Amino acid sequence: MKLSERVTSLTESATLALSVRAGRMRAEGVDIVSFGAGEPDFDTPEPIKRAAVEALRAGHTGYPKPTSGIPAAKQAVCTKLARDNNLTYVPEQVIVTAGGKMAIYLAIQALVEPGDEVILAAPYWVSFPEIVKLAGGKPVVVRGDEPRDYRLAPDQLAAAITPRTRAVILNSPSNPSGVTYSPKEVRALAEVLVERDLVVLSDETYEQLCFTQEGTLSYGAVSERAYAQALTINTASKSYAMTGWRIAYAAGPVELIAAMAKLQTQTTSGAATFTQHALVEALTGDQTQVGVMRAEFRRRGELMHAKLCAISGVRCPTPTGAFYCFPNVSAAYARLGVDGSKAFCERLLEEAHVAAVPGIAFGLDEHIRVSFATSPEQIEKGIERIARFLG
Ligand code: PLP
């Protein structure tokens, strides 16, 4: 069968082959420690589940009306963004989507012409460059400095901007590094960006799972000019342990939201109606459970980071959000005879029985991603195995 160039040129998930292999080994009875998870190991809080069940019982089983999101969900998004992020939006500026990935996909489809450039900071989330390429755009990858934990400096960002730059994607806290931009750093980036005619996609997926006292700052909350160029993207997936529900949202300029909504009418027809009712409960109900998960992830992150840093030759940014550590393990490549993170992760799985994600998937081949969305016991056991493997 002849498949489209669009799909054949798409990079397949680097994690897939390894997770299939890890699954097969586990089925054969091998005790695998998996650090591959990109989702919380918690269940969705009970009140959110109840809201979905009640919506189903109340007959909310038809198409979402309108396709861009039911009014109650849009209003809940406005309430949340005003409460937590100091962002004032009206429902007309909001779209509800089937997952944050869809929100990013729709935004890029709405903005990018073939040949247009979209700036990404490495390490980047795996889907960003592929989504840009699907629109015919060119991902422009900017690599920050390791001593700054790869956070972009304003001059690095400025140097990457060209007349073809249509958008910049910021992701704080970051998947895969767990690194967060401080409010001061967000303001410094905005100083460079507000002068330019471009859109800033602020991916705030892990915003609620930020461990620093000062927290992070939504790009759109920096100033009026930053607000005018910001698309604020967030999802229920990680904060509310709802990855399987496929429910997220974006808020921004009316014309961009309207364009994304138009695309949504011809693609998914929107997020499932009863999950939108659950989103209302997630965003406006009791937030206690989010705090419980955040505290637990923070404890586990500290444990994993300390254990990784105790291994000779390993350097690791301090995770200040999300649930990932991103250690640089490249000091061991020559001795192990591996040519990069993919071969490293294959050997790690075969010989140490630990599943991790190669950093090459995120643009940095010296690193691996290890998720602490698993129990402290598994973290202890897995990092000890890595230490022995590297020792
Ligand atoms: N953005 C980042 C940085 C992510 O890590 C993820 C999921 O892993 C998403 C967006 C999309 O999440 P979802 O599509 O589950 O809402």
Side-chain angles (χ1 to χ4, degrees):
M1 187 187 294
K2 186 173 176 331
L3 298 171
S4 71
E5 159 67 19
R6 192 180 315 114
V7 83
T8 48
S9 63
L10 204 62
T11 306
E12 189 149 358
S13 163
T15 60
L16 210 65
L18 269 176
S19 59
V20 168
R21 176 86 192 110
R24 204 176 303 137
M25 287 171 77
R26 195 175 285 123
E28 286 162 4
V30 182
D31 171 29
I32 302 285
V33 174
S34 180
F35 289 146
E39 58 186 340
D41 55 329
F42 296 99
D43 196 4
T44 306
E46 212 41 56
I48 302 175
K49 288 187 183 177
R50 215 177 304 128
V53 170
E54 278 166 16
L56 285 169
R57 294 231 162 89
H60 296 304
T61 52
Y63 285 122
K65 295 176 193 78
T67 309
S68 56
I70 63 171
K74 289 182 182 175
Q75 187 51 56
V77 169
C78 295
T79 302
K80 182 263 181 269
L81 291 174
R83 181 190 66 210
D84 299 342
N85 307 89
N86 201 21
L87 286 168
T88 306
Y89 287 112
V90 293
E92 204 188 350
Q93 291 175 282
V94 173
I95 182 168
V96 181
T97 57
K101 191 178 282 184
M102 193 64 192
I104 298 163
Y105 180 83
L106 292 173
I108 294 293
Q109 287 287 326
L111 291 167
V112 171
E113 296 283 6
D116 281 350
E117 296 173 0
V118 177
I119 297 178
L120 316 173
Y124 46 74
W125 180 48
V126 281
S127 295
F128 292 150
E130 301 312 309
I131 288 173
V132 171
K133 285 193 257 168
L134 278 172
K138 184 177 159 209
V140 174
V141 176
V142 189
R143 182 178 174 147
D145 300 326
E146 190 175 359
R148 281 177 50 86
D149 289 344
Y150 300 108
R151 279 187 294 264
L152 284 191
D155 59 333
Q156 290 172 321
L157 187 55
I161 298 172
T162 76
R164 291 302 310 252
T165 308
R166 277 302 288 130
V168 174
I169 305 182
L170 300 179
N171 172 220
S172 169
S174 151
N175 177 5
S177 69
V179 168
T180 311
Y181 284 83
S182 70
K184 192 171 156 212
E185 287 164 333
V186 176
R187 284 193 196 95
L189 294 182
E191 268 179 40
V192 169
L193 294 172
V194 291
E195 303 299 327
R196 319 293 175 126
D197 178 21
L198 47 75
V199 173
V200 177
L201 270 59
S202 182
D203 180 336
E204 304 182 2
T205 291
Y206 297 93
E207 163 246 353
Q208 296 273 17
L209 304 178
C210 176
F211 315 139
T212 64
Q213 199 98 66
E214 58 186 352
T216 184
L217 174 67
S218 289
Y219 182 82
V222 169
S223 66
E224 256 176 60
R225 281 157 80 184
Y227 176 83
Q229 63 180 175
L231 183 72
T232 306
I233 298 165
N234 210 329
T235 171
S237 283
K238 319 286 173 156
S239 313
Y240 301 100
M242 292 174 71
T243 48
W245 294 66
R246 314 310 303 132
I247 185 83
Y249 55 91
V254 170
E255 56 281 36
L256 175 55
I257 295 296
M260 291 164 67
K262 189 160 123 186
L263 283 165
Q264 184 148 277
T265 65
Q266 296 294 12
T267 50
T268 59
S269 296
T273 306
F274 63 95
T275 69
Q276 298 199 37
H277 286 273
L279 179 69
V280 174
E281 173 60 29
L283 297 181
T284 60
D286 180 13
Q287 301 293 302
T288 310
Q289 205 48 35
V290 182
V292 170
M293 287 193 269
R294 178 170 49 239
E296 184 56 28
F297 282 134
R298 181 188 180 154
R299 256 192 304 278
R300 295 176 189 181
E302 284 169 357
L303 171 68
M304 183 180 258
H305 183 252
K307 287 189 78 72
L308 282 167
C309 290
I311 304 172
S312 164
V314 171
R315 295 190 300 274
C316 185
T318 305
T320 48
F323 35 73
Y324 311 106
C325 281
F326 196 58
N328 183 330
V329 292
S330 61
Y333 288 179
R335 189 173 41 76
L336 291 168
V338 298
D339 61 358
S341 57
K342 193 159 173 284
F344 179 92
C345 287
E346 280 163 10
R347 290 273 300 272
L348 187 68
L349 181 62
E350 293 297 332
E351 295 170 30
H353 299 165
V354 173
V357 184
I360 186 77
F362 311 98
L364 294 190
D365 205 19
E366 299 91 340
H367 292 251
I368 59 171
R369 191 191 75 177
V370 276
S371 162
F372 47 85
T374 187
S375 70
E377 295 72 36
Q378 288 294 97
I379 293 171
E380 299 259 7
K381 185 156 102 177
I383 303 297
E384 272 157 29
R385 288 183 184 181
I386 294 178
R388 244 176 285 130
F389 177 69
L390 292 173

